[in-house]
Each structure stands twice: as structure tokens, then as C-alpha cells.
Amino acid sequence: MPHDALPSERDLAEQFKVSRMTVRAAIGKLVSEGRVYNIQGSGTYVGSKDIFSKAPRLTSFTEDMAARGFTPSSKVISARRVAADRLVSQRLGIDEGDQCTHIRRLRLADGDPMAFEDVYIPATVLPLEDFQLSGSLYAQLAQAGYDVFRSEQEVTSVIVEGEEAAFLDVPTGSAALCVTRVSSTHHGKLVEFGRTHYRADRYSFRFAVTRESSER
Amino acid sequence: MPHDALPSERDLAEQFKVSRMTVRAAIGKLVSEGRVYNIQGSGTYVGSKDIFSKAPRLTSFTEDMAARGFTPSSKVISARRVAADRLVSQRLGIDEGDQCTHIRRLRLADGDPMAFEDVYIPATVLPLEDFQLSGSLYAQLAQAGYDVFRSEQEVTSVIVEGEEAAFLDVPTGSAALCVTRVSSTHHGKLVEFGRTHYRADRYSFRFAVTRESSER
DNA sequence: AAGTGGTCTAGACCACACA
DNA sequence: GTGTGGTCTAGACCACTTA
């Protein structure tokens, strides 16, 4: 039950015949997932049941939807070679006018529109002719030698209208959750600038935050 | 510089005359803040400069604004005693019709409207007559013996209109980032149900996510 | 092959909560 | 005062990356 105490770390260590540091490492993972929380001098307690994670993770749309209990699918609206404009070149750290692969996709959950996505990838990373209409984009990037490792995200709120609203099957002027991200490899190579507009009536972020003792 | 390698954990341990586990604990904190990241078998690297944290923290509006370089202020629009409706009672774990303190506040940054906030607190936690117009709400709750420790948040996108749009000084039909939260004490006592609408043109969340080796 | 982070041990002392 | 989590030691072996 939420807020019930776990056995103490020393008890768990004895019970499972491991050292206390090992128990702490395991509990630390659960804490970072928001499943349990610690109170110094008191104990470790079970978190609330309906929170998935304490912190957002780097997940693909496919993984995200599966975790939410939906069956994901995608429809590529367009895939073009374009010259990077000011915004795209800044975010991807390339020169204005450099060639990029621009992909627009409608993302569906259980067959209904969930999000509309714009992705820009430097042509040097994934040229248009190598892009496959089906299959995970991250998998294609990985195959090209660009494993996505880190993503810097910005979440805000936007109004959708026109063509985009039509694709999402919502009235013009509806609210959408806008997630903009720049993804990079281990080595800091910027491989993707993407913007996803999630239907506000179908999608939200949930997470738990704690006033930690590790506060600085 | 971002993506430069740190000295190895063994080197740091020797340099600072501490054990390697201590170095790892310190690096672990930096990782959780998104300042550095690890690659097994390779090294520890400096993260990008413009990301503040990897995970959202439990911060008050005041702390949040200060961290963003704004001077925060507040204006209480109303403070009333109300009976909990279905939604409020569900979220706060009380009975429908139970008395609550309902506070509406306009939150300003550098004197301009940033967010509009609705907060419901059980009257058993903070009765209307004890509510002070000025001063931090969390500080008042703490003084009443209810230290806010954990908060479960949901982020979505909404349209603001009417009175609320007027307070925020934006046109009716503008987008806003909606953060709904239920806050509790150490012991799981639910003390606050709040909803904040941030002006989309002035506010966004930024964070970094990593495909961790601790992925499950 | 050498170096790195990931995990683990079997203890120890400290700061804090709680009765 | 007793029990809890927080921190720390001084090693060890494993899995992985890199040259």
C-alpha cells in the first residue's frame, strides 16, 4: 500500500544475503523511478500507485505509447530535402542553407491521431534517399552509426490550426502540448531537431517530485 | 567544455584522498542534475551548458522564478471557504462537501503576469481564518505542521479565456501550460490540490533526458 | 591489453526521527 | 536510546570501450 514502510535496509541485506550497499543501490533505482521514497532517520516508503516515474525518460513515441497502453502507429505525411533555415541550423549546429532531411509524421494511438511531428535531420546524418518510410527513426539513425543517447527537451503549450489541426482531427484553435527536442549521440553530435504537438485532450505528462534530502 | 571527459573515478579518488565509492556518489549527484553523464567503459563527460536539470524538482513558484532570473510577486484574487466538489474531494481524499480553503492568485514575474493559480486546501489543514494574504503558502502550511514533501504533477495544455485571460493579460483563446498537482506530507497526508496556468509565451519547462545504462 | 565505469563486499561512523 | 537512512572506506571482480 502507498506510504507503507519497507523493511529496513539492514533487514533486506540480511534477508537476501547481500551487502547493505547493494540494497541501497537497488532502492536507489526504485527511488529514481518514483516507486518508493526515503525519509532519513525514518524509513523507506512505497509511493503512490498511479505515478509512472519521477523523471521523464528518453523514450520513443512507440515506447511511450506502449507504456500508456496504446497501440502506436505512424503515417508519414511528407519526407523532403530542405535547406536549413535560421532556427533549424541554430539548433542542429549547422550552417544556414545546409541540406536537411525534413520528415512530417502523424502519430496515432489505437488508430486515432495523437500527435503531429516535424523532424529535421542533417543530410550528412541521414540523407533523404536512405530514409525508410516504415520503421523506427531512431533505429534508422542507429543503423547509420548515430545512436541517440541524450535529448534536450522543452515543453510548452501551443494552439494548432489549419492543416495540422485537420491532421490531428481537432478544431482550429485547440490547445496542444508542444515538445521540442534536440537529440545527440554519446559524442555530442547533434542528430535530430524535432517538434511534436500532442493533442491536449489525449496526452499529458505525469510525474512525481520530491523535496529530497539530496537538495543542493 | 561540453562533452569533454572528466578524470577517471580512480584518478579523482586518489587526487582528493577519498575512496572511489565516494567519488561515484558525488558524480551520481551531478548525473542526476544532468551536468555530466557516464558512458560505461569509456568515461564521464560534461553535459551541455544550457540545461539546468535532468529532472524537475519540487520548487515553489518563488524559487522557480528566482532560478529563472525573475523577481516573483503575487496578488491574491480571492480567498474563500468552499465545499469540496467532486473533483476536489477526489484529489484531496476527502468527502464531497467537506470544507476547503480556496485561494486564487495571480503570479507575477518582474511585475508582469506569469501564471494564474487555483489552490484548494482542506479546512482541517489550513482554515480560511488562518490564511495570511502575504507570505509563502508552503511556509504557512509548514507552520501549521504540514510540511510539503512530495507532489504529483500533471502537465498539459489548455486554452485560457474570459476573466482568467484578462488577469493574465493575454487574448481569450490563448494557449497556456497547465500544471495540476496534489501535494502531500512525509506521511502521505494530502494537503494541497492546485492548478497553475502559465502563460505559454513566457513559460516553458526545459530538461534533459538520457538513455541510461540503468534502463530497465 | 589497458583503462573505464558498474557492481559488490563487510564493515564503520554520522545525522536524524521517534517513542 | 534505539533504529533508520546517509555517507564513507579500501579493497575486489565484471562488462565494456578503445586503441
Side-chain angles (χ1 to χ4, degrees):
Chain A
M1 286 291 296
H3 308 297
D4 280 3
L6 266 60
S8 77
E9 296 176 352
R10 288 167 180 86
D11 284 355
L12 289 169
E14 187 181 11
Q15 188 178 334
F16 293 107
K17 310 288 184 193
V18 296
S19 81
R20 193 177 147 216
M21 287 298 286
T22 306
V23 171
R24 282 183 59 75
I27 290 179
K29 273 194 184 175
L30 295 178
V31 169
S32 75
E33 292 169 7
R35 297 175 178 280
V36 304
Y37 57 92
N38 296 321
I39 301 178
Q40 180 174 161
S42 175
T44 301
Y45 301 87
V46 178
S48 302
K49 67 177 189 311
D50 56 346
I51 288 292
F52 298 97
S53 77
K54 183 175 143 195
R57 294 186 185 185
L58 176 50
T59 52
S60 67
F61 179 82
T62 303
E63 292 165 342
D64 187 18
M65 287 304 115
R68 289 164 188 261
F70 292 111
T71 302
S73 58
S74 280
K75 189 177 159 191
V76 175
I77 304 299
S78 71
R80 295 209 183 87
R81 188 167 62 188
V82 299
D85 62 16
R86 192 184 184 77
L87 175 67
V88 170
S89 62
Q90 274 185 354
R91 297 303 185 91
L92 285 177
I94 59 181
D95 290 331
E96 216 169 319
D98 281 2
Q99 293 298 305
C100 287
T101 302
H102 176 201
I103 300 159
R104 308 189 80 191
R105 292 190 290 187
L106 184 63
R107 304 293 222 152
L108 308 117
D110 289 350
D112 293 320
M114 173 65 91
F116 190 85
E117 188 175 73
D118 273 285
V119 177
Y120 295 85
I121 302 165
T124 53
V125 170
L126 186 75
L128 179 60
E129 52 272 28
D130 288 359
F131 173 65
Q132 309 289 331
L133 280 182
S134 67
S136 158
L137 182 57
Y138 283 9
Q140 293 184 41
L141 288 172
Q143 203 167 8
Y146 297 96
D147 244 311
V148 171
F149 169 68
R150 194 164 189 273
S151 186
E152 303 189 347
Q153 313 208 338
E154 180 168 11
V155 177
T156 185
S157 177
V158 296
I159 298 290
V160 290
E161 35 198 12
E163 178 196 50
E164 192 177 11
F167 277 124
L168 285 173
D169 197 21
V170 295
T172 281
S174 296
L177 200 62
C178 172
V179 179
T180 306
R181 67 186 176 282
V182 175
S183 307
S184 53
T185 65
H186 279 158
H187 309 288
K189 167 73 178 172
L190 305 175
V191 295
E192 177 212 31
F193 168 52
R195 192 175 48 223
T196 305
H197 289 168
Y198 293 91
R199 274 177 55 166
D201 59 334
R202 298 194 71 190
Y203 192 88
S204 67
F205 281 123
R206 298 182 67 178
F207 53 89
V209 291
T210 304
R211 182 75 80 168
E212 311 193 49
S213 54
S214 59
E215 209 73 45
R216 309 205 129 189
Chain B
M1 287 290 297
H3 309 297
D4 281 2
L6 266 62
S8 78
E9 296 176 352
R10 289 166 180 85
D11 284 355
L12 289 170
E14 188 181 10
Q15 187 178 333
F16 293 105
K17 310 288 186 192
V18 295
S19 82
R20 192 178 149 218
M21 286 299 287
T22 306
V23 170
R24 282 184 59 74
I27 290 178
K29 274 194 183 176
L30 295 177
V31 169
S32 76
E33 292 169 8
R35 298 175 178 280
V36 303
Y37 58 92
N38 297 321
I39 301 177
Q40 180 174 162
S42 174
T44 301
Y45 301 86
V46 178
S48 304
K49 67 177 189 312
D50 58 346
I51 287 293
F52 298 96
S53 80
K54 184 174 140 198
R57 294 186 184 184
L58 177 51
T59 53
S60 67
F61 179 82
T62 303
E63 292 164 343
D64 188 19
M65 287 304 115
R68 288 164 188 260
F70 292 111
T71 302
S73 58
S74 280
K75 188 175 159 192
V76 175
I77 304 298
S78 71
R80 296 210 183 86
R81 187 168 62 187
V82 299
D85 62 16
R86 190 181 185 78
L87 174 67
V88 171
S89 63
Q90 275 184 353
R91 298 301 186 93
L92 285 176
I94 59 180
D95 289 332
E96 214 170 321
D98 281 2
Q99 294 297 306
C100 287
T101 303
H102 175 201
I103 301 159
R104 308 190 82 191
R105 293 190 290 185
L106 184 62
R107 304 293 223 152
L108 307 113
D110 289 351
D112 293 320
M114 173 65 91
F116 192 84
E117 188 175 73
D118 273 285
V119 177
Y120 295 85
I121 302 165
T124 53
V125 171
L126 186 75
L128 180 60
E129 51 273 26
D130 289 358
F131 173 67
Q132 309 290 329
L133 281 181
S134 66
S136 157
L137 182 57
Y138 283 9
Q140 292 183 40
L141 288 173
Q143 203 168 9
Y146 297 95
D147 246 310
V148 171
F149 168 69
R150 193 163 189 273
S151 186
E152 304 190 346
Q153 313 208 339
E154 180 168 11
V155 177
T156 186
S157 176
V158 296
I159 298 290
V160 291
E161 36 198 11
E163 179 196 50
E164 192 177 12
F167 277 124
L168 286 173
D169 197 21
V170 295
T172 281
S174 297
L177 200 63
C178 173
V179 179
T180 305
R181 67 186 177 283
V182 175
S183 307
S184 53
T185 65
H186 279 158
H187 309 287
K189 167 74 177 173
L190 305 175
V191 295
E192 177 211 32
F193 167 53
R195 191 175 50 224
T196 305
H197 289 167
Y198 293 91
R199 275 177 54 167
D201 59 334
R202 298 193 70 191
Y203 192 88
S204 68
F205 281 124
R206 298 181 67 179
F207 53 88
V209 291
T210 304
R211 182 74 80 168
E212 313 193 48
S213 53
S214 59
E215 209 73 44
R216 314 203 129 185

